Amino acid sequence: MRRNPRPSREELAAAADRTLPDVIAPGLDVLFVGINPGLWSAAAGWHFARPGNRFWPALHRGGFTPRLLHPGEQDELTALGLGITNLVGRASARAAELAPAELITGAQELAGKVARHRPRWVAVVGVTAYRIGFARPKATFGRQPELLAGARLWVLPNPSGLNAHYTPQTLGAAFAELREAVERE
């Protein structure tokens, strides 16, 4: 397993506006959609790479992976029927730096990716970004009533360590709810 060394201040600054390649394949069970890469992730080249991010533990606790994966093992996800993309491609220090227009454009571009790759489910990790990008100001967590290019939609809590409303246990439970829905349908 690759280590996740702390990027230097210069490496983090250089990572601003960088993009990460999608981890995607045709016919996935779930395509997870981050808001946008953080600077640490962009510097490392892996999705959800910052050590305080709880995506990988929640994915495991939720039953999607047989063991806790390191961000450097992200390419193993497609064999498990899972993938990762972002609503907005460019890296920033905080999601709050994104303009609403970027989220709206990102949602439109996501619809194109979903139409091309045909995942069964799309899970957006971040209700505020979902509300803005998809023009659903009252959306809540869980299954959404609409489809996205034929895929079922689900909204999960943001796994960032900055989201203090969710513990690792409650994040894992939220991911498990999605897994159960995926297995049922």
Side-chain angles (χ1 to χ4, degrees):
M1 176 166 58
R2 293 190 261 177
R3 287 275 172 220
N4 198 3
R6 175 182 273 287
S8 69
R9 193 170 283 162
E10 294 77 23
E11 290 169 322
L12 289 174
D17 296 326
R18 234 184 245 165
T19 60
L20 290 175
D22 293 335
V23 177
I24 197 167
L28 297 172
D29 290 323
V30 183
L31 178 61
F32 290 94
V33 182
I35 300 168
N36 75 311
L39 297 181
W40 192 304
S41 291
W46 307 320
H47 293 273
F48 301 103
R50 188 177 183 92
N53 192 293
R54 299 164 303 168
F55 174 80
W56 297 99
L59 200 63
H60 178 60
R61 282 178 190 255
F64 282 105
T65 60
R67 63 180 175 80
L68 177 59
L69 296 178
H70 179 273
E73 297 174 296
Q74 67 184 15
D75 292 335
E76 293 183 25
L77 289 177
T78 57
L80 299 171
L82 308 172
I84 303 174
T85 189
N86 287 291
L87 203 51
V88 174
R90 75 174 183 91
S92 66
R94 298 177 66 107
E97 296 174 25
L98 303 175
E102 290 179 279
L103 295 168
I104 294 165
T105 299
Q108 294 164 351
E109 291 172 358
L110 177 62
K113 286 181 193 181
V114 172
R116 279 190 305 281
H117 295 284
R118 311 302 296 168
R120 292 178 47 225
W121 289 84
V122 173
V124 179
V125 293
V127 71
T128 302
Y130 177 81
R131 287 173 178 162
I132 296 167
F134 290 85
R136 295 284 188 191
K138 296 182 191 273
T140 59
F141 296 109
R143 187 176 184 155
Q144 303 305 301
E146 68 274 5
L147 298 177
L148 180 64
R152 293 170 189 88
L153 270 169
W154 194 277
V155 175
L156 289 163
N158 186 337
S160 167
L162 299 174
N163 185 358
H165 297 294
Y166 284 85
T167 66
Q169 293 77 18
T170 57
L171 275 172
F175 276 64
E177 284 183 54
L178 170 59
R179 184 188 46 78
E180 290 163 10
V182 170
E183 289 175 354
R184 274 194 314 271
E185 296 179 40

